[in-house]
Amino acid sequence: MSPALALLCLVGLAQAQSVRPVAPSDLVPGISAQAQPGDLLLESAGGIRFVVSAPERRAGLQATGGNLVDVHPADVGDVFDGMTPWFDRRYPRQAAWSKVEAGPDFVRSRGVDTDDAELAVEQVLQLVADPSVPGHLRIRTTVTNRGALPRPGHDLGDIIGWGGLQHFAPGPGFALAGTDAPLPWVGAEGEDYALLLVAAEPLSGPHGASWSDPVYTVVDLAPGASHTYERHLLVGRTLGELAGTAAAIQGRAVQAVELQARDAATGEPVADAQLIVRGAAGTSMLGRTDASGRLRTALAPGSYRLGGHARGRVRVAEVDLQVPAVGASVGGATLQFSPPGRIRLVATDGQDQPMPARFTFVGVDRPDPDLGPPSRAIGGNRVHLASPEQVALPPGRYRVTVSRGPAWSLVTREVTVRPAVAGEDPSELHVSLQRLVAKDGWLQCDLHTHAAPSFDSAIPLEDGLIAAAAEGVD
């Protein structure tokens, strides 16, 4: 164990947190919220809640209760699907818990491997009172071979459903789906909070569109032998602010760096800009600026490029970022953005009545816009609207295709989005669509859809309904 990690552990023991049953007053709505009264709640001093399901209550594709089902700030709805131990790289092989008990700052679950009852499993989820992050959960899982035969080459890992969070890792960045390469850590970024999962050594394992199955180690379990693997789940406002703690856990030397986002015209701070740091090995880190336009993160010494985007704005240019050797002074870097642009979008039918529609934007003199996570009604380069609405869009020229499914006409227009000016009306696009296919007793349906209550989807129910209406579903 590294000295930095040992210090974190001692701090956690000295400032132990309490554990209690979930009460009705603890329930906070969220697209992935699964907590119910009777579950166990671990709450950090920083206001982060970790919920472990009662042993008799299974959730999603978890085999039993006793697993982590919700992780979120106390005042924010849960968007995390859950986490359970995973064995031998065979899905859905996992732990089946038969006993769950609470201690002063931990929850312990005991059970067996779902595919091999001779493999006993014990897991301890323990709060660490770590002042560097709002939430820090240490997870220790022990597997014991109670059988007479050895279990060679046994993979030990986790099954994780990220829910409404976008998963990310140094190197591939957000392009994790379909990969299975060693990573220093894996995390996920959301609109309100972020999670970072880190162990002492790099992790491997496959990743899908909204899930990760990290593998931490492969062991040979002789009869009577046990092996414990440990990892840390960090929770905070944004991934960049968790990077220093992750580096301490792994014993890596990093420098504290302050990055800023500013309006190029006024010099005012740009809040909630997503800053992306890229190095020689790919994307190194990302994070969102706070209300003062700042992001405080930690990076290894080296040369980087700072880029990113801010909703409704154009980035002026990427900038160089030099991080010197640990101990030297660090200057940081500032990324500039244009003033924001806005456009009012209106779609009407043949009687000039407003109706839902989809607006797809393709950049003419600039890249396609990034309007947010593609799982949202407004995300990627398209806007699904239930009624007329103003939308933040970077200034520039766009080719816009307006549609409402196969029963309605398509209209393509070119539009220029101007920077927003106080007291002036925003740019506007008003399009009329015509019904081409009469209903004649038929309904337009989509009979198989996924949404965030399902483990394999990050689409909030409200956003799914808006998108369905905009695509012409009756």
Side-chain angles (χ1 to χ4, degrees):
M1 181 181 295
S2 71
L5 180 54
L7 177 61
L8 287 177
C9 294
L10 289 174
V11 170
L13 291 173
Q15 304 179 30
Q17 305 295 310
S18 62
V19 179
R20 57 183 171 83
V22 172
S25 59
D26 294 321
L27 303 180
V28 180
I31 64 171
S32 299
Q34 300 178 75
Q36 293 185 12
D39 292 343
L40 292 173
L41 172 63
L42 304 93
E43 186 162 1
S44 72
I48 303 300
R49 292 180 171 179
F50 303 88
V51 178
V52 177
S53 55
E56 69 279 1
R57 191 178 73 80
R58 62 181 296 271
L61 291 185
Q62 296 174 349
T64 64
N67 288 298
L68 196 60
V69 292
D70 287 351
V71 178
H72 63 98
D75 58 347
V76 172
D78 177 73
V79 294
F80 176 66
D81 274 350
M83 177 176 175
T84 188
W86 183 47
F87 304 128
D88 219 23
R89 282 186 179 249
R90 298 217 315 263
Y91 183 81
R93 186 172 181 176
Q94 56 185 277
W97 308 116
S98 56
K99 184 176 182 180
V100 180
E101 57 188 3
D105 63 347
F106 66 86
V107 172
R108 178 184 288 114
S109 300
R110 292 188 173 97
V112 297
D113 185 322
T114 54
D115 287 19
D116 188 344
E118 292 185 336
L119 292 178
V121 186
E122 177 179 296
Q123 179 163 278
V124 177
L125 309 179
Q126 185 172 26
L127 288 167
V128 177
D130 178 355
S132 70
V133 292
H136 184 161
L137 189 72
R138 181 171 52 232
I139 305 171
R140 286 194 181 115
T141 306
T142 301
V143 180
T144 302
N145 182 2
R146 300 183 302 190
L149 299 176
R151 269 59 172 188
H154 198 59
D155 298 86
L156 304 176
D158 285 311
I159 298 169
I160 302 173
W162 296 115
L165 303 164
Q166 286 187 285
H167 56 7
F168 172 95
F174 284 123
L176 267 177
T179 65
D180 188 351
L183 301 168
W185 51 262
V186 64
E189 185 86 359
E191 294 182 359
D192 298 303
Y193 66 101
L195 308 181
L196 190 154
L197 181 69
V198 61
E201 301 295 332
L203 53 88
S204 61
H207 307 269
S210 59
W211 53 267
S212 296
D213 292 347
V215 173
Y216 308 99
T217 187
V218 182
V219 298
D220 296 325
L221 284 175
S226 297
H227 185 86
T228 299
Y229 61 107
E230 178 177 295
R231 54 273 193 222
H232 299 254
L233 185 61
L234 311 177
V235 189
R237 189 185 65 85
T238 187
L239 280 172
E241 294 179 351
L242 304 174
T245 304
I249 289 169
Q250 294 182 323
R252 293 185 288 109
V254 293
Q255 278 272 45
V257 180
E258 181 176 282
L259 309 175
Q260 297 190 48
R262 296 279 171 177
D263 187 300
T266 66
E268 292 295 312
V270 177
D272 207 35
Q274 187 177 81
L275 304 186
I276 301 173
V277 180
R278 294 183 175 89
T283 303
S284 300
M285 180 53 66
L286 69 80
R288 292 178 293 109
T289 56
D290 60 18
S292 67
R294 291 178 168 83
L295 170 64
R296 296 170 180 85
T297 187
L299 294 166
S303 299
Y304 301 91
R305 291 284 287 175
L306 175 63
H309 63 268
R311 192 161 297 179
R313 297 174 183 264
V314 177
R315 186 191 68 236
V316 173
E318 290 190 345
V319 297
D320 290 328
L321 172 62
Q322 297 294 326
V323 179
V326 175
S329 61
V330 182
T334 298
L335 199 63
Q336 293 187 324
F337 293 90
S338 74
R342 295 193 70 82
I343 185 170
R344 186 170 186 267
L345 303 176
V346 182
T348 56
D349 61 16
Q351 285 72 48
D352 203 32
Q353 295 299 306
M355 69 174 191
R358 168 176 170 155
F359 296 75
T360 303
F361 291 82
V362 176
V364 175
D365 61 351
R366 52 155 289 112
D368 295 351
D370 182 352
L371 302 176
S375 57
R376 307 306 294 264
I378 300 177
N381 70 330
R382 77 285 179 282
V383 176
H384 293 99
L385 294 183
S387 58
E389 188 172 332
Q390 284 191 32
V391 176
L393 200 68
R397 290 170 56 213
Y398 299 91
R399 185 171 297 108
V400 188
T401 299
V402 187
S403 61
R404 200 190 175 194
W408 292 80
S409 61
L410 280 174
V411 173
T412 299
R413 298 275 177 82
E414 194 166 295
V415 64
T416 298
V417 177
R418 305 184 304 273
V421 177
E424 293 186 8
D425 292 333
S427 306
E428 180 169 305
L429 176 61
H430 187 151
V431 172
S432 179
L433 301 181
Q434 306 299 315
R435 176 174 279 280
L436 302 179
V437 179
K439 284 189 174 182
D440 293 332
W442 294 88
L443 292 176
Q444 185 168 306
C445 305
D446 185 345
L447 301 179
H448 186 134
T449 62
H450 292 227
S454 173
F455 76 97
D456 59 354
S457 176
I459 301 172
L461 287 172
E462 180 180 356
D463 292 62
L465 289 172
I466 291 172
E471 297 290 358
V473 174
D474 295 311

